[in-house]
Amino acid sequence: MTIAARLLSRLAPHAGGYIADARIRPIEYLPWVVAIIIYVAAPEYLPLGSYILILMLFALSLDLILGYGGIITLGHTAYFGIGAYSAGILAKFVTAEPFTGLVVAAVCAGVFGLITGAVILRTTGLTLLMLTLAITSICYEVANKANDWTGGADGLSGITMNPVFGQFRFDMFGNTAYLYSLVFLILGWWIVRRIVYSPFGASLAGIRENPVRMHAIGAPVYGRLVVVYTISAMIAGVAGALLTHTTQFVGLKVLGFELSGDLVVMLILGGVGRLYGAIVGPLIYLVAQDLLAKQYPEYWYFWIGALLVVIVLFARGGLLGIVDALRARFEKARGR
Amino acid sequence: MTPVLETRALCKSFGALTVADTIDFHLGAGARHALIGPNGAGKTTFVNMLTGRIPPSSGSIMLGGADITAASQSERVKRGLGRTFQINTLFRNLTVVDNVALSVAERTDVGGGLFGVASKQKAVVAESMDLLGSLGLADDARATVIGLPYGKQRLVEIAIALGLKPKVLLLDEPAAGVPSLESHRILEVIAALPSDIAVLIIEHDMDLVFRFAKRITVLAQGAVLMEGTPAEIRTDLRVRQVYLGEDHV
Ligand SMILES: Nc1ncnc2c1ncn2[C@@H]1O[C@H](COP(=O)(O)OP(=O)(O)OP(=O)(O)O)[C@@H](O)[C@H]1O
Ligand SMILES: [Mg+2]
């Protein structure tokens, strides 16, 4: 029992805050070790694996605004999609050098995040939620209609990326794609983690907890939200570009509500505002989708839905929240 | 003596309801001033206008000689205005020390820091711990606010405001809802506030008001009924009618 308690105490702490120890704990390397083991041991899963890694990065960007900033959005695919399309269009018409693509995607998504954020973050609650939906549907329609640039409903194909560093081609087995996605996921994780443990990150948690009080202690609430929204949009844009680069294709799905909704579900499943909820959620969700969809093609969404209902009703902190609760119970049982 | 905080003909209406009716008010440096009045008199609304949470319908507000009527909440805080809330307005799921650290960080301009602020961050934590220590909350620093007993939450409410090192402190019923057995802690804290801070306290407990305040303003239906020393207020007939007559035993 003590071993279990000790193990649990290292998992799933609420990340961030002024007194939290910001040094990276050994357990935090676990996801990356597992990712590398999968690379070596299960090469047949690399294409799915790349997609999961990309969605982890996307979920991290959502956790930053939803879990920390308390910004409720169902339209985060706008930035993912803009990243994906800008990377695709750049690669097809200008240069197929991957790193340039990532930078351009980050800039495009970031600028769009800044502009839209500046407008919508003046509102809160349901109005804000509606505006995020509106922005995403506008983007979807624009991408749908701008056939010459985006390929419209058929998607943007005919992209051939240059090899990474001129060396590593994006092969059909997904070797390069997987490692490429993993590297940028780790980079994104490191940046988000730094933000979460910074005073800026703590102030975001303050805004989430009580915007009225944040105003009353003189914090520039609106400015902070616009900044984090922009950062989040940039990360989402990079995730979108990674998808373009690794699949050499962009479909309208990258701007769809289905993906935004799925993303929120994944994050809630993993645990909101915990950093690693964004790692656990997409992993469980997408692996379950893969397994269940093979077994019960019609019903798998039912099981995801059922799981979500259970989580929302009984474990508000998501799967990591359950780990947290177990930890608390073990600590109590060990008691003083 | 020039007042640190002053309002001139401050008015506020919600539709047809007048909640502040031409309020002329001033607070001198180091003042110990109480604002009293029956429920719904407009006391909280007055404080909300002072801090910029709601805009007045007309009139002006001066802080430290500057007109702040149109200033943002954060500008007013920067100029030394701090407040507490009648209803707990805390960062409920954060630790006690984080609650205070957030306000200390805003005052010291660390609050928006992203990178390379580790040493400043340490200073913020140290100052927050000192403040909590002085309020007798050191042992609760790492506890989550929602887990604290209500009386201690009321102290955190004050601690957050003190983290701003305000020149003018507005206390909206600091002991509201606290059982009288525990409220002495809060009263001690208020009594021990540095003498250079100008304090405006809203309070229903008359014993406390008469003990603490050097001056008292009585508000009724949004208008100043009278202002004076505790002795003057105590003996005033109108005050007894609208206020003490109803609430005081
Ligand atoms: N946002 C609002 N919209 C409409 N009416 C309001 C609003 N805020 C307050 N009021 C009304 O204004 C009046 C004054 O309210 P306020 O909270 O300022 O009173 P108070 O003196 O603080 O009372 P209490 O002693 O109960 O705290 C009340 O009648 C209240 O219902
Ligand atoms: Mg009130």
Side-chain angles (χ1 to χ4, degrees):
Chain A
M1 191 144 101
T2 10
I3 295 171
R6 211 175 291 165
L7 195 74
L8 283 171
S9 75
R10 286 171 199 212
L11 281 165
H14 243 300
Y18 273 90
I19 45 165
D21 185 352
R23 282 172 303 185
I24 300 175
R25 289 174 291 276
I27 187 99
E28 294 181 76
Y29 293 109
L30 183 68
W32 319 132
V33 173
V34 171
I36 288 164
I37 291 173
I38 286 170
Y39 177 76
V40 176
E44 68 275 23
Y45 282 109
L46 293 188
L48 175 65
S50 311
Y51 185 63
I52 295 177
L53 295 175
I54 290 167
L55 280 210
M56 285 173 177
L57 183 60
F58 190 17
L60 269 176
S61 78
L62 180 67
D63 200 23
L64 200 52
I65 56 169
L66 179 65
Y68 290 90
I71 301 167
I72 298 177
T73 170
L74 276 172
H76 213 41
T77 41
Y79 313 101
F80 184 78
I82 284 182
Y85 273 109
S86 56
I89 292 166
L90 185 84
K92 190 164 173 181
F93 298 109
V94 186
T95 168
E97 200 287 309
F99 295 139
T100 315
L102 293 180
V103 172
V104 168
V107 170
C108 290
V111 168
F112 192 63
L114 177 65
I115 294 167
T116 51
V119 175
I120 68 174
L121 292 170
R122 295 201 175 276
T123 69
T124 55
L126 221 48
T127 317
L128 176 56
L129 187 70
M130 288 298 130
L131 287 174
T132 64
L133 288 172
I135 286 168
T136 306
S137 42
I138 291 170
C139 291
Y140 186 94
E141 270 319 301
V142 169
N144 192 15
K145 292 280 150 55
N147 245 311
D148 297 347
W149 291 91
T150 63
D154 297 334
L156 183 66
S157 51
I159 300 166
T160 311
M161 296 310 296
N162 291 354
V164 179
F165 293 126
Q167 287 277 327
F168 307 99
R169 288 185 42 239
F170 286 100
D171 55 48
M172 58 185 288
F173 308 109
N175 280 305
T176 304
Y178 186 89
L179 291 178
Y180 180 65
S181 306
L182 181 59
V183 165
F184 284 98
L185 170 60
I186 292 177
L187 186 67
W189 160 79
W190 186 82
I191 291 171
V192 172
R193 198 181 179 287
R194 282 299 294 257
I195 293 174
V196 163
Y197 281 92
S198 73
F200 176 74
S203 84
L204 293 177
I207 294 170
R208 177 197 68 212
E209 289 295 316
N210 202 329
V212 169
R213 195 61 188 252
M214 284 307 276
H215 280 294
I217 61 174
V221 171
Y222 167 73
R224 298 259 165 88
L225 288 177
V226 171
V227 169
V228 73
Y229 198 76
T230 304
I231 295 173
S232 170
M234 290 176 83
I235 297 173
V238 168
L242 289 175
L243 186 66
T244 301
H245 291 169
T246 56
T247 58
Q248 320 227 1
F249 175 77
V250 190
L252 270 179
K253 264 169 63 178
V254 296
L255 280 167
F257 288 142
E258 200 181 327
L259 182 58
S260 318
D262 282 355
L263 186 75
V264 173
V265 171
M266 288 179 215
L267 189 61
I268 292 174
L269 196 65
V272 176
R274 293 164 180 271
L275 203 58
Y276 294 97
I279 306 295
V280 173
L283 179 70
I284 305 273
Y285 184 94
L286 292 169
V287 168
Q289 183 180 45
D290 191 56
L291 295 178
L292 292 171
K294 273 181 206 146
Q295 301 271 343
Y296 320 98
E298 296 101 277
Y299 294 128
W300 83 270
Y301 219 89
F302 169 82
W303 290 111
I304 289 284
L307 185 57
L308 195 68
V309 169
V310 171
I311 294 267
V312 170
L313 286 181
F314 301 110
R316 297 290 288 278
L319 294 171
L320 290 184
I322 295 175
V323 174
D324 247 5
L326 286 176
R327 184 182 77 191
R329 189 170 290 186
F330 271 119
E331 273 168 7
K332 216 173 187 181
R334 204 168 34 154
R336 272 136 282 157
Chain B
M1 187 179 58
T2 51
V4 280
L5 180 69
E6 187 179 0
T7 70
R8 292 177 193 159
L10 204 63
C11 296
K12 179 74 194 179
S13 316
F14 293 113
L17 181 71
T18 302
V19 194
D21 187 358
T22 356
I23 300 179
D24 290 303
F25 174 85
H26 54 91
L27 205 62
R32 292 292 182 267
H33 199 123
L35 180 63
I36 64 172
N39 292 112
K43 305 180 295 294
T44 299
T45 305
F46 181 62
V47 166
N48 283 341
M49 285 191 284
L50 294 179
T51 63
R53 212 186 147 201
I54 57 173
S57 305
S58 65
S60 60
I61 307 169
M62 315 285 289
L63 180 65
D67 189 327
I68 56 155
T69 315
S72 70
Q73 294 188 60
S74 106
E75 283 170 59
R76 298 176 201 219
V77 173
K78 294 257 137 56
R79 287 177 177 276
L81 188 62
R83 74 169 295 183
T84 68
F85 290 81
Q86 181 173 358
I87 297 164
N88 277 352
T89 304
L90 305 168
F91 309 108
R92 289 159 50 85
N93 292 300
L94 304 185
T95 60
V96 171
V97 64
D98 274 350
N99 268 260
V100 177
L102 283 173
S103 93
V104 173
E106 291 304 332
R107 189 196 85 236
T108 52
D109 278 332
V110 183
L114 259 176
F115 295 103
V117 285
S119 65
K120 288 184 189 163
Q121 212 169 329
K122 278 208 188 93
V124 167
V125 173
E127 186 186 330
S128 306
M129 292 302 280
D130 282 351
L131 178 55
L132 289 173
S134 72
L135 298 175
L137 287 170
D139 291 341
D140 301 299
R142 283 166 182 273
T144 307
V145 161
I146 32 172
L148 288 186
Y150 181 74
K152 283 185 173 173
Q153 291 191 13
R154 284 314 271 170
L155 279 175
V156 177
E157 181 68 43
I158 298 172
I160 295 173
L162 292 181
L164 299 171
K165 294 208 173 147
K167 293 196 198 83
V168 178
L169 179 59
L170 314 174
L171 299 165
D172 194 352
E173 300 195 29
V178 182
S180 50
L181 266 178
E182 291 172 44
S183 66
H184 75 275
R185 257 316 283 145
I186 294 168
L187 307 187
E188 275 170 29
V189 166
I190 294 168
L193 288 171
S195 60
D196 57 336
I197 300 183
V199 181
L200 175 66
I201 186 170
I202 297 173
E203 183 52 62
H204 282 297
D205 180 339
M206 282 304 134
D207 294 333
L208 197 166
V209 168
F210 287 135
R211 234 181 314 145
F212 175 80
K214 303 273 188 297
R215 282 196 86 71
I216 300 175
T217 296
V218 186
L219 209 60
Q221 292 173 346
V224 175
L225 186 71
M226 80 166 283
E227 187 193 317
T229 62
E232 288 163 358
I233 298 293
R234 208 193 292 262
T235 50
D236 189 272
L237 211 59
R238 289 168 306 163
V239 176
R240 297 191 82 91
Q241 267 167 7
V242 303
Y243 190 72
L244 302 178
E246 289 167 18
D247 270 328
H248 205 54
V249 261

